[in-house]
């Protein structure tokens, strides 16, 4: 019985870690039709906690622009996965689950 509970606990912990790792860190943007997509390659300089050497991290930043029912445009950051899944003209956030 203890062994079964230990296995179940390990499985639940593993599932929770996977779900946490899959979150993209971006809040969901407002619903609407995707009207524009943009991606920029950006570099940031970070000051280290210890020592004097500064680090530079570079990467892609992805943005979608949606238009809601009232004609208002909303631009927001998304993950690369959402950027790839949502084409111009598709309905956001429905396009994220294709």
């Amino acid at each position: 019985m203890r062994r079964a509970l230990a296995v179940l606990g390990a499985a639940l912990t593993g599932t929770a870690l996977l779900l946490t790792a899959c979150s993209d860190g971006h809040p969901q943007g407002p619903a609407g039709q995707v009207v524009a997509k943009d991606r920029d390659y950006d570099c940031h300089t970070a000051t280290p906690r210890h020592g004097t050497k500064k680090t530079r991290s570079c990467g892609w930043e992805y943005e979608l622009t949606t238009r809601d029912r009232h004609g208002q445009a909303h631009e927001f950051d998304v993950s690369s996965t959402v950027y790839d899944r949502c084409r111009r003209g598709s309905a956001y956030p429905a396009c994220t689950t294709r």
Side-chain angles (χ1 to χ4, degrees):
M1 182 69 172
R2 285 186 178 181
R3 184 176 226 175
L5 287 176
V7 170
L8 179 62
L12 289 174
T13 301
T15 303
L17 287 174
L18 283 175
L19 289 175
T20 303
C22 291
S23 66
D24 59 16
H26 296 285
Q28 185 173 344
Q33 182 179 12
V34 177
V35 294
K37 296 172 66 168
D38 185 36
R39 68 180 186 154
D40 297 316
Y41 192 75
D42 206 7
C43 294
H44 303 282
T45 303
T47 305
R49 294 182 191 164
H50 303 291
T52 58
K53 188 175 182 181
K54 292 184 178 182
T55 59
R56 185 175 181 175
S57 64
C58 299
W60 288 100
E61 294 180 352
Y62 301 92
E63 295 178 347
L64 288 182
T65 303
T66 59
R67 187 169 315 277
D68 62 18
R69 292 179 183 179
H70 306 292
Q72 182 91 18
H74 303 277
E75 185 176 290
F76 51 93
D77 294 332
V78 295
S79 67
S80 61
T81 305
V82 171
Y83 182 87
D84 291 339
R85 288 181 179 171
C86 295
R87 294 176 172 37
R88 286 181 184 89
S90 61
Y92 179 86
C95 58
T96 62
T97 58
R98 295 196 289 145

